[in-house]
């Protein structure tokens, strides 16, 4: 074993661009821009932006937007935003094939969304629908079957009848 070879390989691996979880991307890949941590949007703008990202299949980006609302928003709403952020990152784990991590995060998100005061229907978030959707995803994960792509695009807010 030559330590010089090991060091050069390690440096090459560390120099590669990384994804949002810090894992090296394949050679030739470009890094993906992060959502700024200090992003400040109105609650409805945050939900609209996160929903658009979920609809585009970018659950981790939606997580970052919701996490910024959780960290920068009012203290009274932190449990709601944290539940939504954990829900989005749970979907990210499903997309990346990590069933165990997805199950843990979806259960935690359901607990947070369920514990948020029932009389506080903030920003028209469909908490009961998201909790039910998480139960469907958890059942599919426990069964080990495939999860359809459209199941990874939940609706964050109530759908208005127009």
């Amino acid at each position: 074993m030559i330590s010089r070879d090991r060091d050069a390989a390690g440096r090459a691996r560390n120099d590669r661009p990384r994804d949002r979880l810090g894992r090296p991307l394949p050679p030739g890949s470009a890094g993906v821009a992060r959502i700024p941590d200090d992003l400040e949007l109105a609650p409805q703008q945050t939900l609209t932006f996160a929903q658009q990202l979920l609809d585009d299949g970018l659950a981790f980006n939606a997580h970052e937007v919701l996490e910024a609302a959780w960290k920068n928003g009012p203290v009274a709403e932190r449990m709601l935003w944290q539940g939504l952020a954990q829900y989005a990152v749970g979907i990210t784990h499903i997309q990346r094939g990590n069933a165990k991590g997805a199950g843990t995060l979806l259960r935690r998100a359901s607990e947070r969304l369920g514990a948020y005061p029932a009389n506080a229907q903030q920003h028209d978030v469909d908490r009961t629908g998201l909790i039910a959707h998480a139960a469907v995803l958890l059942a599919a994960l426990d069964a080990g079957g495939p999860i359809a792509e459209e199941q990874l695009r939940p609706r964050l807010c109530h759908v208005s009848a127009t």
Side-chain angles (χ1 to χ4, degrees):
M1 174 169 70
I2 301 173
S3 62
R4 182 175 43 88
D5 293 338
R6 177 183 252 180
D7 293 341
R11 275 193 296 280
R13 187 175 54 253
N14 289 336
D15 288 341
R16 288 194 309 204
R18 298 186 174 276
D19 68 3
R20 288 185 176 81
L21 295 179
R23 299 178 301 203
L25 293 169
S29 297
V32 183
R34 287 189 56 106
I35 303 293
D37 291 334
D38 59 350
L39 178 70
E40 290 190 31
L41 297 172
Q44 203 56 45
Q45 289 174 317
T46 300
L47 289 168
T48 302
F49 190 24
Q51 185 65 60
Q52 179 183 0
L53 292 167
L54 283 171
D55 291 344
D56 291 343
L58 302 171
F60 196 83
N61 295 67
H63 160 258
E64 289 182 326
V65 168
L66 294 165
E67 186 177 47
W70 156 34
K71 291 180 177 177
N72 301 325
V75 173
E77 296 180 6
R78 284 198 176 153
M79 189 175 293
L80 173 70
W81 294 111
Q82 188 176 27
L84 292 172
Q86 288 176 337
Y87 198 90
V89 81
I91 291 173
T92 300
H93 281 272
I94 292 172
Q95 290 172 335
R96 294 184 179 200
N98 181 3
K100 183 178 178 183
T104 301
L105 286 159
L106 289 173
R107 283 184 194 86
R108 198 176 298 159
S110 295
E111 290 170 7
R112 294 214 187 281
L113 291 171
Y116 195 70
N119 60 351
Q121 282 298 330
Q122 294 290 333
H123 318 299
D124 204 29
V125 172
D126 186 9
R127 293 181 305 129
T128 55
L130 289 171
I131 293 169
H133 185 260
V136 169
L137 290 175
L138 288 168
L141 288 170
D142 290 341
I147 296 177
E149 190 66 29
E150 60 269 3
Q151 285 185 303
L152 300 179
R153 291 174 170 81
R155 300 300 313 160
L156 297 179
C157 295
H158 293 281
V159 178
S160 61
T162 52

